Amino acid sequence: MVSYTPTEEVDFVVIGSGAAGGIMAKELSVAGFSVVVLEQGGPGCYGHEQDYNKDELLGMYPAPADRLMSDLKLQPNTYRKHAGEKAGPGSSRYGCVLGGGTVTYGASSWRHLPYEFNEATHVGTIAGTGMADWPIGYDELEPYYTKAEWELGVSGLRVDSPFFAPMSKPYPVKPLPEKASGALLKIAAAKLGLTVVPNVAAILSEPYQGRSACVSCGMCSGFGCQVKARSSTAVTMIPIAEQTGRCEIRPHSYVHEIKVGANGRVTGAIYFDAAKREVFQKAKAVVLSANGLETPRLLLLSKSAHFPDGLANSSGLVGKYLMSGNFSNANGLFEHPLNEYKGIVSGAAIMDYVPTDPKRGFYGGGRMTGRGQEEPIQYGVQGPHLAPKWGAEYKKALREQANRKLTIASFITQLPLETNCVDLDPDVRDAWGLAAMRLTSTSHPDDVKCMEFFRQRSLEILDAAGATTVWAEPVSDARGGAHSRGTCRMGNDPRKSVVDKFHRAHDVPNLFVVDGSSFVTGGRNHPTMTIEALAFRAADHLIKATKSGNV
Ligand SMILES: Cc1cc2nc3c(=O)[nH]c(=O)nc-3n(C[C@H](O)[C@H](O)[C@H](O)COP(=O)(O)OP(=O)(O)OC[C@H]3O[C@@H](n4cnc5c(N)ncnc54)[C@H](O)[C@@H]3O)c2cc1C
């Protein structure tokens, strides 16, 4: 494998190796460029995936070397509802390993619908929001969705419906087997006139490109995949990048500054290596793919004489318009065992409430997914419904309920508000002495109504599916997390956006921000397929621009 010295000026440094970074590294190195990928997390089980453990306790309390998710003890973050309040401890975590969030994610891989790129044109302004059109439309991204689905490996069924994005090509792999959740949603849908489709997942239903199909182990989201059925960038993109002989992957490299030269161009990145030594990697251009939370934080940490308010931040919008994604959950208990713990997390979805409907009295929509996958310890700690927390009655309720519970999890719109943001906490530092990220977030009143709408519909659906008991906790607002996006929005106007439509920072000609942070509006949550399509498109344009001397 190739290895560069930090003083050697490579063509590109890519910061982060997740959904977007893995694709950028592969595309740029295949196109002939020298690339160094700086990833703060470890290599995980890269190249020996069979060793990923399925130990739930280890997964909950991993030793640092086994860490697949960010560690709040090492990298704390803080949260508050409104500016002006002192932030308290936050709970936001994301995938922190070679392959980023794609190593452990649930892998639901929905495309945005065409109108989700120009919602402002469709609905006009919504008071109090920064609703805006994207500078690109669905048609421009469609070929890259197809490329992402085929290069990564996505299982699904193309459906001809207004609730489904139009596709120029079917999915490369057939849908995963139907689970009890799918069968029960269909019973309800038949009574209520709703539409059920199989989940679209970046998890293989049959062997593809030398990788195995899902073996339904049931320890899926939150765990590494031992048979490489989950199409993470660590098993799809990164091996191809390395095989070019032009891409060096450097795990345990925590970037804390993107360096700017006298001419205002970036010159490389400074990172802490595993021994906490500072290293400067020189590069002709930098691709920042550290996710919707860490990307704005790193730009804000990268202050310089040229950029006293943070790199690429002349608009003052770095970190603003955070959308972490709202959810609503409802649960039902059924007479018969469901065996929902097997297979992928979410087997089927109800699509009818994806579009917004003015009759509902608020803006927003979402996808309802049926799921019942809870690992035994997680379920035991959380406890059965309306049961004591210990003793004989607790055990009896565990036995009765554990395999009979179905949850409808809805993934719904969160409107972009300028006041919802990521910035640097003035009081809290991480284990390297850097300012921690602070999240400020309160959803728009329409979002709260939207969550409540989905909560009510989910209870009705569970009822219609034949649940013997149904319940739902009160809705609660997003507080950050791995679906965060929108914090370096793209646009044509440098005063109103951070990057242009090709992900180039308006302020810095050789800095490219490619990840969930460039979203303008959030879609119906589940951001990763759109992040991946955007990355393929960004790489295409970056390669052409570089080859024509325009970087
Ligand atoms: C348990 C779980 C389930 C999920 N399920 C789904 C799902 O079903 N569908 C869906 O669409 N999404 C899901 N997600 C979200 C999904 O993982 C993210 O949307 C996606 O990974 C984001 O891609 P990204 O490229 O923006 O960032 P990431 O994939 O998060 O990659 C960013 C990488 O950058 C690294 N990094 C950050 N800061 C630095 C730094 N300063 N220096 C060096 N490296 C750095 C990080 O360690 C990380 O590896 C899930 C996430 C989790 C954790």
Side-chain angles (χ1 to χ4, degrees):
M1 297 299 168
V2 69
S3 159
Y4 300 101
T5 55
T7 49
E8 213 173 323
E9 188 183 57
V10 292
D11 293 321
F12 292 99
V13 153
V14 176
I15 302 171
S17 65
I23 290 170
M24 295 305 290
K26 178 258 183 183
E27 291 290 280
L28 293 171
S29 56
V30 166
F33 297 108
S34 54
V35 178
V36 169
V37 177
L38 300 175
E39 167 56 54
Q40 65 177 356
C45 291
Y46 177 59
H48 55 103
E49 282 75 10
Q50 67 278 9
D51 294 340
Y52 273 123
N53 76 68
K54 299 285 182 183
D55 181 324
E56 210 190 329
L57 266 182
L58 257 184
M60 289 162 93
Y61 309 106
D66 295 329
R67 186 157 63 99
L68 302 182
M69 297 283 289
S70 55
D71 183 337
L72 292 175
K73 287 199 198 79
L74 297 174
Q75 288 173 303
N77 55 70
T78 60
Y79 167 80
R80 59 185 182 170
K81 282 181 84 61
H82 302 286
E85 291 172 4
K86 184 161 171 50
S91 54
S92 200
R93 294 176 71 207
Y94 55 83
C96 182
V97 64
L98 189 60
T102 65
V103 171
T104 47
Y105 79 149
S108 289
S109 292
W110 303 95
R111 296 178 176 203
H112 270 36
L113 285 136
Y115 57 79
E116 289 181 296
F117 293 91
N118 54 5
E119 288 176 276
T121 297
H122 276 283
V123 296
T125 50
I126 298 177
T129 76
M131 182 70 109
D133 286 348
W134 292 52
I136 58 171
Y138 180 79
D139 289 350
E140 223 172 316
L141 202 55
E142 201 287 330
Y144 298 101
Y145 274 123
T146 302
K147 189 172 165 70
E149 286 157 2
W150 282 76
E151 290 212 12
L152 294 160
V154 171
S155 306
L157 179 70
R158 177 167 64 176
V159 179
D160 185 16
S161 141
F163 313 138
F164 218 84
M167 299 168 65
S168 57
K169 226 173 151 181
Y171 291 106
V173 189
K174 68 179 187 205
L176 285 136
E178 183 170 275
K179 305 188 0 167
S181 48
L184 290 170
L185 289 188
K186 280 181 182 164
I187 291 172
K191 291 184 193 161
L192 301 171
L194 301 172
T195 317
V196 181
V197 299
N199 192 28
V200 175
I203 295 177
L204 299 177
S205 57
E206 54 194 9
Y208 186 68
Q209 295 179 340
R211 291 185 289 118
S212 161
C214 172
V215 293
S216 292
C217 74
M219 305 289 269
C220 190
S221 186
F223 298 89
C225 181
Q226 289 172 325
V227 299
K228 298 191 188 180
R230 183 189 286 123
S231 303
S232 73
T233 54
V235 298
T236 54
M237 300 288 110
I238 291 166
I240 301 175
E242 279 204 308
Q243 280 153 23
T244 63
R246 286 183 286 274
C247 179
E248 181 190 346
I249 307 286
R250 246 178 247 168
H252 297 302
S253 303
Y254 179 25
V255 179
H256 68 83
E257 184 180 344
I258 300 173
K259 195 87 183 139
V260 177
N263 56 4
R265 289 169 62 86
V266 295
T267 56
I270 312 177
Y271 64 93
F272 292 109
D273 69 9
K276 289 196 172 179
R277 285 179 303 237
E278 282 197 327
V279 182
F280 173 55
Q281 175 62 53
K282 272 181 94 174
K284 290 180 187 150
V286 170
V287 176
L288 178 52
S289 300
N291 77 38
L293 295 175
E294 290 293 2
T295 283
R297 174 175 176 239
L298 183 52
L299 291 173
L300 294 172
L301 284 171
S302 300
K303 292 192 170 87
S304 62
H306 265 95
F307 299 102
D309 300 323
L311 187 55
N313 195 20
S314 67
S315 62
L317 292 180
V318 167
K320 304 272 175 74
Y321 297 113
L322 168 69
M323 295 167 284
S324 299
N326 279 321
F327 301 89
S328 123
N329 283 344
N331 311 290
L333 290 176
F334 288 79
E335 189 189 344
H336 299 290
L338 302 182
N339 294 338
E340 267 295 301
Y341 60 88
K342 290 184 181 173
I344 65 166
V345 175
S346 168
I350 287 186
M351 307 295 279
D352 301 69
Y353 304 113
V354 166
T356 191
D357 181 350
K359 288 201 284 294
R360 291 182 208 145
F362 59 86
Y363 182 79
R367 243 170 249 115
M368 305 171 110
T369 63
R371 50 180 65 196
Q373 196 177 72
E374 283 168 318
E375 287 79 38
I377 296 174
Q378 180 198 349
Y379 186 69
V381 170
Q382 178 195 305
H385 180 53
L386 294 182
K389 293 286 178 205
W390 66 86
E393 285 303 308
Y394 164 77
K395 288 184 193 164
K396 181 168 169 281
L398 263 188
R399 270 194 301 274
E400 284 169 1
Q401 294 186 26
N403 197 19
R404 292 179 159 79
K405 181 177 156 195
L406 176 65
T407 298
I408 296 185
S410 299
F411 293 79
I412 57 192
T413 311
Q414 189 182 18
L415 290 163
L417 309 190
E418 193 173 340
T419 42
N420 288 350
C421 64
V422 177
D423 66 0
L424 302 179
D425 194 297
D427 303 318
V428 180
R429 302 210 154 245
D430 71 10
W432 290 260
L434 306 173
M437 74 169 78
R438 175 173 63 181
L439 275 60
T440 305
S441 183
T442 297
S443 283
H444 188 272
D446 275 25
D447 294 337
V448 179
K449 288 182 194 155
C450 192
M451 285 188 267
E452 187 55 38
F453 172 84
F454 276 92
R455 181 174 176 271
Q456 292 302 335
R457 296 296 80 70
S458 304
L459 289 168
E460 286 163 19
I461 290 168
L462 287 161
D463 218 19
T468 51
T469 311
V470 298
W471 75 99
E473 303 303 329
V475 299
S476 59
D477 207 351
R479 292 179 51 129
H483 287 214
S484 294
R485 55 211 184 273
T487 46
C488 295
R489 55 165 39 182
M490 59 157 73
N492 295 324
D493 183 345
R495 291 164 309 165
K496 294 184 179 166
S497 55
V498 177
V499 298
D500 72 10
K501 64 192 268 188
F502 299 122
H503 299 256
R504 192 194 295 247
H506 288 302
D507 300 342
V508 191
N510 62 339
L511 173 65
F512 297 82
V513 177
V514 188
D515 57 21
S517 62
S518 43
F519 280 36
V520 181
T521 46
R524 270 61 176 155
N525 214 329
H526 282 139
T528 312
M529 178 40 64
T530 299
I531 293 173
E532 293 173 334
L534 286 171
F536 275 112
R537 177 178 173 276
D540 209 2
H541 287 280
L542 181 50
I543 290 163
K544 284 182 194 138
T546 310
K547 287 190 171 165
S548 61
N550 189 21
V551 171

